[in-house]
Amino acid sequence: MKKSIIALATVLTLLFSANNIQANTAKLKSGTTEIVDASQLQSVFDAYFNVKDALIKSDSKLTSAKATALLTAITAVKMDQLKSNEHTVWMKVVKKLTADAKSISATTDLKKQRDTFKSLSKSAYDLIKVSNPDQPIYKQYCPMADADWLSKEKAVKNPYYGSSMLTCGNVVETIK
């Protein structure tokens, strides 16, 4: 009888330990997925900000190169790893994001790049709005260009006019 109780206690201990290990593994996997979720879209956002910064410098060749990097970031996104609300918006904007990035990368005409950047910014805004960024993102507006853009800095640096009207615009929304 004593051996039976010891054997039963040993089996129960092993089952309990195995269950804890399995639960911890599941937590680790879901934690990893969340990290992937954040980095999935973060690379797209970072590439978008690089395109914006190149436009601020009025450097059409650099803008084209940064748009090519944006395309790479867009195609690297694994939709099945996005949160459901991000996935829904991603499905709505991915074709436009891709087309705009291709258009910007395919030309060195600064005016065309800036015109296309307006549309790119609208899609990026829709996406970042649902992604809960880890730092504040500022939606800025230029009345002269009648266009918005996103920035990590609160200080206005206008991508639509570069140095000719660098500070034209204002913050219209803070996304947190």
Side-chain angles (χ1 to χ4, degrees):
M1 179 78 172
K2 194 174 184 181
K3 286 184 179 179
S4 297
I5 293 173
I6 292 173
L8 182 61
T10 304
V11 168
L12 287 174
T13 303
L14 286 173
L15 286 173
F16 182 73
S17 297
N19 192 28
N20 276 345
I21 291 169
Q22 189 177 11
N24 288 338
T25 303
K27 284 181 188 174
L28 180 62
K29 284 182 180 176
S30 70
T32 303
T33 302
E34 287 176 21
I35 291 168
V36 170
D37 285 345
S39 66
Q40 286 280 313
L41 294 179
Q42 191 59 51
S43 62
V44 173
F45 299 141
D46 289 344
Y48 166 87
F49 293 126
N50 290 336
V51 171
K52 174 197 59 99
D53 292 343
L55 287 171
I56 290 169
K57 294 176 185 174
S58 298
D59 186 335
S60 64
K61 288 182 182 176
L62 180 61
T63 301
S64 179
K66 295 300 181 182
T68 300
L70 174 57
L71 266 174
T72 302
I74 291 167
T75 56
V77 170
K78 294 181 178 84
M79 291 182 288
D80 61 332
Q81 294 180 358
L82 296 174
K83 296 174 193 156
S84 65
N85 58 342
E86 291 172 334
H87 185 270
T88 301
V89 174
W90 179 257
M91 293 305 292
K92 290 178 185 173
V93 302
V94 67
K95 286 182 183 176
K96 190 66 177 143
L97 269 175
T98 303
D100 289 342
K102 278 183 183 174
S103 177
I104 293 170
S105 69
T107 185
T108 54
D109 181 329
L110 199 55
K111 183 178 177 350
K112 287 181 182 174
Q113 289 174 328
R114 285 177 168 153
D115 285 342
T116 306
F117 186 71
K118 291 177 184 181
S119 173
L120 182 73
S121 292
K122 286 178 185 171
S123 298
Y125 170 78
D126 291 343
L127 196 55
I128 209 163
K129 190 81 170 149
V130 297
S131 74
N132 299 322
D134 55 354
Q135 70 179 60
I137 302 297
Y138 302 97
K139 180 180 181 186
Q140 299 176 338
Y141 174 75
C142 171
M144 297 294 290
D146 190 26
D148 299 307
W149 70 94
L150 301 171
S151 180
K152 292 192 260 184
E153 300 89 29
K154 195 170 188 174
V156 172
K157 293 183 182 172
N158 191 321
Y160 297 108
Y161 291 103
S163 62
S164 66
M165 292 194 331
L166 186 61
T167 60
C168 178
N170 58 316
V171 174
V172 294
E173 183 179 352
T174 302
I175 305 163
K176 294 180 184 179

